[in-house]
Amino acid sequence: MNKWQKITVVIAFGAIGICFGCTRSIDYTEGEKVEYSDLPKEVQDTLTWWGEHTIISVGDTVSVELPDVICYESDYSFLYSKFGPWIISRKLKRNTDGKVWKFSGNINIPTPIVTIGDTIYIPSEYNLVDCTGVDSNAVFIRQILR
């Protein structure tokens, strides 16, 4: 190998190592299951409020528009990567330090994700919050981000 081939190999392995070594992932199907009634009271109240106040009605169709992330004592953003019209990955970014977690597995993550400090609550199903409020049997998956 000549000098440039060696440099290229070192750079390639370094880039691969950085990509795999720094990737944080969240498997949203794993974690502690928490029932809606066991969520902190402020979270219950907020989810109920969002369900009652964010209704969009078009003709006979009624839908609820919720934010992707509801934050308490934290600052997170929900990031999308798109290829054309398709969303190909979803990530959660902690804005205070720039750490990013990629959701592993299915990229269709139920929302809204509730964050309190480093703890996140992900709905276990879609449409747990609607214009009538929150399903009292709803289950959220709790995970702690490090």
Side-chain angles (χ1 to χ4, degrees):
M1 284 180 138
N2 68 27
K3 177 181 173 182
W4 290 109
Q5 288 175 329
K6 289 179 185 179
I7 292 173
T8 304
V9 169
V10 168
I11 290 173
F13 280 115
I16 291 170
I18 288 172
C19 289
F20 287 109
C22 297
T23 300
R24 296 168 188 86
S25 66
I26 300 170
D27 184 349
Y28 76 92
T29 59
E30 293 182 0
E32 179 185 354
K33 294 186 179 195
V34 179
E35 293 184 15
Y36 172 73
S37 59
D38 295 330
L39 289 173
K41 180 74 171 132
E42 62 184 344
V43 174
Q44 293 177 30
D45 292 344
T46 300
L47 290 174
T48 301
W49 186 91
W50 275 103
E52 294 172 353
H53 292 89
T54 54
I55 299 169
I56 295 175
S57 180
V58 178
D60 293 338
T61 304
V62 176
S63 65
V64 177
E65 288 292 321
L66 297 167
D68 292 322
V69 180
I70 299 172
C71 300
Y72 295 94
E73 303 169 17
S74 56
D75 185 19
Y76 286 87
S77 300
F78 204 60
L79 307 174
Y80 301 88
S81 296
K82 291 185 175 185
F83 178 73
W86 302 283
I87 295 173
I88 58 173
S89 75
R90 297 178 190 225
K91 300 173 186 174
L92 188 65
K93 177 182 179 184
R94 185 167 48 209
N95 297 322
T96 54
D97 62 6
K99 289 185 180 179
V100 176
W101 289 266
K102 183 177 180 181
F103 289 93
S104 61
N106 187 352
I107 63 168
N108 294 317
I109 311 302
T111 57
I113 296 171
V114 178
T115 66
I116 303 174
D118 292 336
T119 303
I120 63 171
Y121 296 91
I122 305 170
S124 62
E125 300 176 30
Y126 297 96
N127 302 322
L128 293 179
V129 180
D130 62 21
C131 59
T132 60
V134 182
D135 180 0
S136 60
N137 298 319
V139 175
F140 290 76
I141 309 297
R142 177 178 22 216
Q143 294 189 9
I144 298 174
L145 302 178
R146 305 206 189 289

